[in-house]
Amino acid sequence: MSTLPVFERARIADGGPAPLYLKLKRLVIDAIAQGTLADRDAIPGERDLARMLGISRVTVRKAFADLVADGVLVQRRGSGTFVAPKTGRIQLPLSRLTSFTEDMRLRGIETFSDWLDRSVALPTPEESLVLALSPGDKVIRLHRLRRADGKPLAIERSSIPHRFLPDPMAVETSLYAALTERGLKPVRALQRLHAVALSKGDADLLGLPEGSPALFTERVAYLTDGRVIEFTRSHYRGDSYDFVAELHLAAGS
Amino acid sequence: MSTLPVFERARIADGGPAPLYLKLKRLVIDAIAQGTLADRDAIPGERDLARMLGISRVTVRKAFADLVADGVLVQRRGSGTFVAPKTGRIQLPLSRLTSFTEDMRLRGIETFSDWLDRSVALPTPEESLVLALSPGDKVIRLHRLRRADGKPLAIERSSIPHRFLPDPMAVETSLYAALTERGLKPVRALQRLHAVALSKGDADLLGLPEGSPALFTERVAYLTDGRVIEFTRSHYRGDSYDFVAELHLAAGS
DNA sequence: CAGTGGTCTAGACCACCGA
DNA sequence: CGGTGGTCTAGACCACTGG
């Protein structure tokens, strides 16, 4: 077994207080991102790694279990642990769902936004709950009508805790760009989606008859520390928008 | 702490050779399916449970970790472990490739199928294209009405190359089970979904008015060697289904 | 405050794989 | 055969939640 500077004791001992298995996960992900570890590369055995890093094997296994669940590593009993081969497309962390902007840009379609609301407001009970607001906290509302080729495609209603983004007018086109400038990058999100019939008001905005089918999505985005940064509800025209997802076989069960 | 016959030592000691944490998972899932455990019910503490079952706390935690990942349980630090509340809609994971039947069972929902079509047929041009069929190849059609609690939930139309599954009658309840028996396990799939208004025929099958909103999905599943094994189009009732996705943002961008 | 889940340790035995 | 991952144990300390 070689020294493998990637997995030196120091790389995990310092760096502030954080669970060891999370530090190890980050170590592996960064090494892959930087090319130090390539596709199908072998990772040292769990016992070796534990010894090298000065932690217990159980902790190594916990980190590896997460990384396998995320599709970053693959494990073969009796053989070893390896960097998962890429399936053709970029998929650094994993399971990505294409977003409005990305998807449209991919198709070479230029998109525009009309602001329906861009204000500071008192939160609704739902916003308070989802954004984990304290009493008295305010929210920023960013409601937009998304258009492409002059045709309305979607209504997007985002709420952000006021303390994260004091001025709603700071958001010009991309909410995520505005957040990133402030060092508030969402790293994880949960999205729920289902089909609904459009209300009269939303149907008018999208230029459709009342009751037309639409894809309704609710997304909650989180920062690295687990705080909720964004709550967005969107209505996509059923006839104009496709969501695409890549599914992987569940590893554990 | 009460005795809770659900979690008696005997329930996990016998029952053949299998990992203890898998036995415990099954125990919890079955209890929810049978109504012994209901929504939001508290599960005994990890230490209590370990003592009651005569296993270690780490093993209990491993089982619980899986169940939390599957959305069956929720855990709150300092508070306890609880049966995940049902959200009114059935939640389907968008990033994991799962069997409908198994996924519903995991949530304690018993499902039934009415066959609409189960035959060998000549492929449509679309089927030929998607399944990469050679001229003369036939397909198996498996069209089903999915029901739960007597209520129609979804229409599912699967096409499988005839050479993979000679006899359509071999599929009793789970298509994936039938495929797996033949060593044909899908490992990856691409799924497209959008909102549609139901046609008269489909609306009738689902017991809804014509034009009701539904989630339409098209899924193409692949074997490890990249061959297409399955092409499935489904219509899910808009009022009964949530698709849930966990999104990760690329580290670089 | 007592009880909870979250993390971590240092062992152990097993089934499997490849040389 | 030795090395691998897969499972399991019996402890321990921490941060958090609730009454």
Side-chain angles (χ1 to χ4, degrees):
Chain A
M1 110 198 186
S2 62
T3 316
L4 279 189
V6 187
F7 297 113
E8 274 167 353
R9 207 184 192 98
R11 306 286 297 264
I12 213 171
D14 64 347
L20 292 173
Y21 78 93
L22 287 182
K23 287 185 183 176
L24 176 50
K25 278 183 68 176
R26 169 82 31 186
L27 203 65
V28 172
I29 289 172
D30 289 349
I32 293 173
Q34 290 161 23
T36 317
L37 287 174
D39 276 21
R40 295 165 203 277
D41 274 3
I43 306 282
E46 296 173 351
R47 292 167 184 79
D48 286 349
L49 204 46
R51 205 178 320 115
M52 287 153 68
L53 294 170
I55 63 181
S56 89
R57 186 185 163 212
V58 177
T59 303
V60 172
R61 279 186 64 72
K62 169 128 177 103
F64 279 17
D66 281 15
L67 291 168
V68 167
D70 288 342
V72 175
L73 300 179
V74 293
Q75 293 192 297
R76 285 195 289 275
R77 167 162 44 183
S79 175
T81 302
F82 309 85
V83 177
K86 298 208 190 331
T87 55
R89 290 308 307 168
I90 319 160
Q91 43 150 27
L92 255 174
L94 297 168
S95 16
R96 228 170 37 98
L97 200 64
T98 58
S99 77
F100 184 92
T101 317
E102 282 177 75
D103 202 46
M104 289 299 131
R105 198 188 315 135
L106 215 65
R107 291 171 159 74
I109 300 171
E110 201 180 0
T111 62
F112 300 91
S113 293
D114 298 322
W115 288 104
L116 305 173
D117 188 0
R118 187 159 45 151
S119 61
V120 182
L122 289 172
T124 65
E126 185 185 25
E127 287 171 332
S128 288
L129 184 66
V130 173
L131 296 174
L133 297 180
S134 306
D137 285 355
K138 293 184 175 177
V139 296
I140 296 230
R141 297 240 175 80
L142 300 169
H143 294 190
R144 282 185 275 190
L145 181 65
R146 300 276 204 176
R147 287 181 297 109
D149 295 334
K151 251 187 23 183
L153 282 187
I155 302 164
E156 199 179 273
R157 297 184 169 93
S158 298
S159 304
I160 296 98
H162 185 234
R163 63 172 180 279
F164 286 140
L165 200 61
D167 180 17
M169 293 303 164
V171 180
E172 283 304 324
T173 53
S174 171
L175 167 60
Y176 278 26
L179 292 176
T180 302
E181 278 176 19
R182 285 163 183 72
L184 299 168
K185 203 151 89 103
V187 293
R188 180 178 157 267
L190 281 176
Q191 183 157 303
R192 230 154 54 92
L193 51 89
H194 60 261
V196 297
L198 286 172
S199 69
K200 180 76 169 64
D202 287 351
D204 285 349
L205 284 171
L206 292 173
L208 293 169
E210 179 176 0
S212 296
L215 206 57
F216 176 66
T217 75
E218 287 182 299
R219 182 175 61 207
V220 182
Y222 302 86
L223 299 174
T224 46
D225 59 10
R227 286 182 300 175
V228 177
I229 176 76
E230 175 214 358
F231 174 43
T232 297
R233 287 146 296 174
S234 306
H235 292 264
Y236 297 92
R237 279 179 69 138
D239 59 358
S240 309
Y241 202 75
D242 262 355
F243 275 89
V244 180
E246 179 168 355
L247 315 181
H248 294 275
L249 186 62
S253 49
Chain B
M1 110 197 186
S2 61
T3 317
L4 279 186
V6 187
F7 297 113
E8 275 167 350
R9 207 182 190 99
R11 306 285 297 267
I12 213 172
D14 62 346
L20 291 174
Y21 78 94
L22 287 182
K23 287 185 183 177
L24 176 50
K25 277 184 68 175
R26 171 96 13 194
L27 202 65
V28 172
I29 289 169
D30 289 348
I32 293 173
Q34 291 161 22
T36 317
L37 288 174
D39 275 20
R40 294 164 203 277
D41 274 4
I43 305 282
E46 297 172 349
R47 294 166 183 79
D48 287 347
L49 203 46
R51 206 178 318 116
M52 286 152 68
L53 294 170
I55 63 181
S56 90
R57 186 183 163 214
V58 177
T59 303
V60 172
R61 279 186 64 72
K62 168 124 177 109
F64 280 16
D66 280 16
L67 291 168
V68 167
D70 288 339
V72 175
L73 300 179
V74 293
Q75 292 192 299
R76 284 195 289 274
R77 167 165 44 184
S79 175
T81 302
F82 308 86
V83 178
K86 303 215 186 328
T87 52
R89 292 164 191 268
I90 297 164
Q91 308 213 346
L92 293 183
L94 240 187
S95 52
R96 275 183 317 142
L97 185 54
T98 57
S99 152
F100 182 94
T101 313
E102 188 54 31
D103 210 71
M104 291 299 112
R105 223 191 70 78
L106 209 67
R107 286 162 176 69
I109 302 168
E110 198 180 1
T111 62
F112 300 91
S113 292
D114 300 322
W115 289 103
L116 306 173
D117 187 0
R118 187 161 42 154
S119 60
V120 182
L122 289 173
T124 65
E126 185 185 25
E127 286 171 333
S128 287
L129 184 66
V130 174
L131 296 175
L133 298 180
S134 305
D137 285 355
K138 293 184 176 178
V139 295
I140 297 229
R141 296 239 176 82
L142 300 170
H143 294 190
R144 285 185 274 191
L145 181 65
R146 299 279 201 178
R147 287 182 296 110
D149 298 330
K151 243 185 34 178
L153 284 186
I155 302 164
E156 198 180 274
R157 298 183 169 93
S158 298
S159 304
I160 296 98
H162 186 234
R163 63 173 180 277
F164 286 137
L165 200 62
D167 180 16
M169 293 302 164
V171 180
E172 283 303 327
T173 54
S174 172
L175 166 59
Y176 278 25
L179 291 177
T180 302
E181 278 175 18
R182 285 164 182 72
L184 299 168
K185 206 173 168 60
V187 294
R188 181 179 156 265
L190 281 177
Q191 183 159 298
R192 217 158 61 91
L193 49 88
H194 60 261
V196 297
L198 287 171
S199 68
K200 180 74 169 64
D202 287 351
D204 285 348
L205 285 172
L206 292 174
L208 292 170
E210 179 176 0
S212 296
L215 209 55
F216 176 66
T217 75
E218 287 182 297
R219 183 174 64 199
V220 182
Y222 301 86
L223 299 175
T224 46
D225 60 9
R227 286 181 300 174
V228 177
I229 177 77
E230 176 213 6
F231 174 42
T232 297
R233 286 145 297 172
S234 305
H235 292 264
Y236 296 92
R237 280 179 68 136
D239 59 359
S240 306
Y241 274 97
D242 260 349
F243 280 79
V244 180
E246 179 167 355
L247 318 176
H248 295 272
L249 304 184
S253 60

